[in-house]
């Protein structure tokens, strides 16, 4: 069992930056991969960025060069640094963890990019 607690969402202007944090608790040593997903109004939830136990990262094409996912070695915190934000980045962002073949989700945090 893993619980995911997210923080860092808010309102920013286009071109601004925001950092999201996800703190897992429970059986964190069994986590295989963690990542961030987002769901915008009227759209399906999509993967934004993932990071494996070995530190390999993958990004959605729409955020490459702007977003960076990172973690510490013990999975104490997984962060998503978002730069050069665009209005189309507006969405609810969810932290995700894969553990022993099961998916776990955070509660979601709202990110709004608007002038």
């Amino acid at each position: 069992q893993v619980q995911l607690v997210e923080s860092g969402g808010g309102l920013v202007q286009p071109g601004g930056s925001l950092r999201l944090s996800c703190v897992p608790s429970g059986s964190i040593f069994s986590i295989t991969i963690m990542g961030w997903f987002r769901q915008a109004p009227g759209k399906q939830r999509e993967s934004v960025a993932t990071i494996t136990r070995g530190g390999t990262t993958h990004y959605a094409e729409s955020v490459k060069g702007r977003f960076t996912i990172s973690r510490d070695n013990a999975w104490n915190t997984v962060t998503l640094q978002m730069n050069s934000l665009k209005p189309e980045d507006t969405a609810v962002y969810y932290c995700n963890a894969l553990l022993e073949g099961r998916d776990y989700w955070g509660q979601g945090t709202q990110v709004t990019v608007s002038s």
Side-chain angles (χ1 to χ4, degrees), residues 6-107:
E6 305 167 11
S7 62
L11 173 65
V12 296
Q13 294 184 338
S17 298
L18 202 63
R19 186 180 70 178
L20 306 182
S21 296
C22 178
V23 179
S25 62
S27 302
I28 60 176
F29 296 145
S30 296
I31 293 174
T32 302
I33 185 171
M34 291 190 67
W36 290 90
F37 288 66
R38 68 186 182 187
Q39 187 166 23
K43 296 185 178 181
Q44 293 183 315
R45 188 174 299 185
E46 64 176 353
S47 176
V48 176
T50 61
I51 186 166
T52 69
R53 292 179 65 182
T56 301
T57 59
H58 294 276
Y59 297 92
E61 191 67 29
S62 60
V63 306
K64 283 183 178 178
R66 300 189 298 120
F67 291 10
T68 302
I69 188 171
S70 62
R71 63 158 177 84
D72 60 20
N73 291 332
W75 296 104
N76 288 324
T77 306
V78 176
T79 64
L80 183 68
Q81 179 66 46
M82 304 184 292
N83 301 132
S84 302
L85 284 162
K86 305 174 181 179
E88 50 263 46
D89 295 318
T90 296
V92 177
Y93 284 70
Y94 298 89
C95 183
N96 169 262
L98 178 63
L99 188 153
E100 298 178 342
R102 299 186 297 273
D103 277 308
Y104 297 84
W105 296 91
Q107 78 284 357

